[in-house]
Amino acid sequence: MKQILQIGGRECLLYTEGEQQPQVLLIQTLGAQERGSIDSEVEMISETTGTSFVMAAFAIDDWEVELTPWHDPAVSKHQAVGEHAGETLRYITETLTPYLHQEYGDFPIVLGGYSLGGLFSLWSGSESDSFAAIAAMSPSVWIAGWQDYARQHPVKTPYVYLSLGDREEHCRDKAIAQVGNNLRWEHEHLKQTLDPNHTTLEWNTGNHFVDGARRTAKGFAWCVNRIVNRK
């Protein structure tokens, strides 16, 4: 079942999958690109996991401003970029999460996203202990200072899924080309921080713009299966 609701002043697409009581609550950042594929993504998660869940995809109006955790001119020269990710995280923890818990029960939450949504999700997993798992697909960890931040801010979530396309680091932009090295580093760092079986780095075929819905569904499904089956 799909609903379109206003929750705390933001548009949310709310999906209820499965005939049983949900076992997990999924939260996803929803940009313009995701809107055209979110239905099929949710269907893929359901088919892969066989688990009842609720997905809340909340609208992001300005991708860079609302999701970038700190300013980096390589992301954007606009000064507002890097100043509002904390507001987005507070919306999740103080508005959306309480709503979901009230409506569906106090079930574990997986936060995930693609690209800047993946970076934001990964950053949120170090800023808040509200999440049972983080799914970061093609996260923009090429942002300046990511490794320094990650060293100083250990993750507060038990499970972290990472993925990247195998062509994403082969680009002309020198900043973005660091994404592969930084994500490999992040994975090794997480293996030292978490149980090594509680994190993974999956490589997909193609560049940043290939099969986003399928990649996102795979990430959420990995997290759901780990939480439900306690692997």
Side-chain angles (χ1 to χ4, degrees), residues 131-189:
F131 310 111
I134 296 296
M137 287 64 68
S138 293
S140 305
V141 292
W142 52 266
I143 189 173
W146 175 258
Q147 290 190 22
D148 290 339
Y149 171 83
R151 288 189 189 97
Q152 297 170 25
H153 300 82
V155 293
K156 300 177 180 179
T157 179
Y159 298 95
V160 179
Y161 173 92
L162 306 170
S163 72
L164 196 68
D166 60 10
R167 299 302 303 167
E168 293 194 51
E169 61 186 326
H170 301 288
C171 64
R172 294 181 180 179
D173 189 302
K174 292 182 179 179
I176 297 176
Q178 294 302 310
V179 67
N181 288 336
N182 279 359
L183 203 59
R184 291 183 188 93
W185 178 91
E186 176 67 19
H187 183 224
E188 292 302 317
H189 177 67

Side-chain angles (χ1 to χ4, degrees), residues 85-203:
E87 297 171 14
T88 307
L89 178 54
R90 284 192 295 275
Y91 168 76
I92 295 171
T93 59
E94 298 177 9
T95 300
L96 185 55
T97 293
Y99 175 90
L100 295 174
H101 282 164
Q102 180 177 352
E103 291 293 316
Y104 301 102
D106 191 18
F107 297 104
I109 289 181
V110 179
L111 174 65
Y114 196 90
S115 191
L116 272 177
L119 173 68
F120 170 81
S121 298
L122 196 56
W123 171 80
S124 296
S126 291
E127 294 290 315
S128 173
D129 61 2
S130 300
F131 310 111
I134 296 296
M137 287 64 68
S138 293
S140 305
V141 292
W142 52 266
I143 189 173
W146 175 258
Q147 290 190 22
D148 290 339
Y149 171 83
R151 288 189 189 97
Q152 297 170 25
H153 300 82
V155 293
K156 300 177 180 179
T157 179
Y159 298 95
V160 179
Y161 173 92
L162 306 170
S163 72
L164 196 68
D166 60 10
R167 299 302 303 167
E168 293 194 51
E169 61 186 326
H170 301 288
C171 64
R172 294 181 180 179
D173 189 302
K174 292 182 179 179
I176 297 176
Q178 294 302 310
V179 67
N181 288 336
N182 279 359
L183 203 59
R184 291 183 188 93
W185 178 91
E186 176 67 19
H187 183 224
E188 292 302 317
H189 177 67
L190 287 171
K191 287 196 294 185
Q192 297 173 23
T193 306
L194 304 173
D195 180 324
N197 294 320
H198 286 198
T199 186
T200 191
L201 170 55
E202 185 168 6
W203 291 89

Side-chain angles (χ1 to χ4, degrees), residues 42-50 53:
V42 171
E43 184 177 351
M44 284 187 278
I45 298 170
S46 182
E47 291 174 350
T48 303
T49 64
F53 63 87

Side-chain angles (χ1 to χ4, degrees), residues 23 49 51 159 221-231:
Q23 294 181 269
T49 64
T51 298
Y159 298 95
W222 185 91
C223 293
V224 170
N225 286 332
R226 292 311 182 279
I227 291 170
V228 172
N229 298 318
R230 300 296 181 188
K231 292 183 179 179

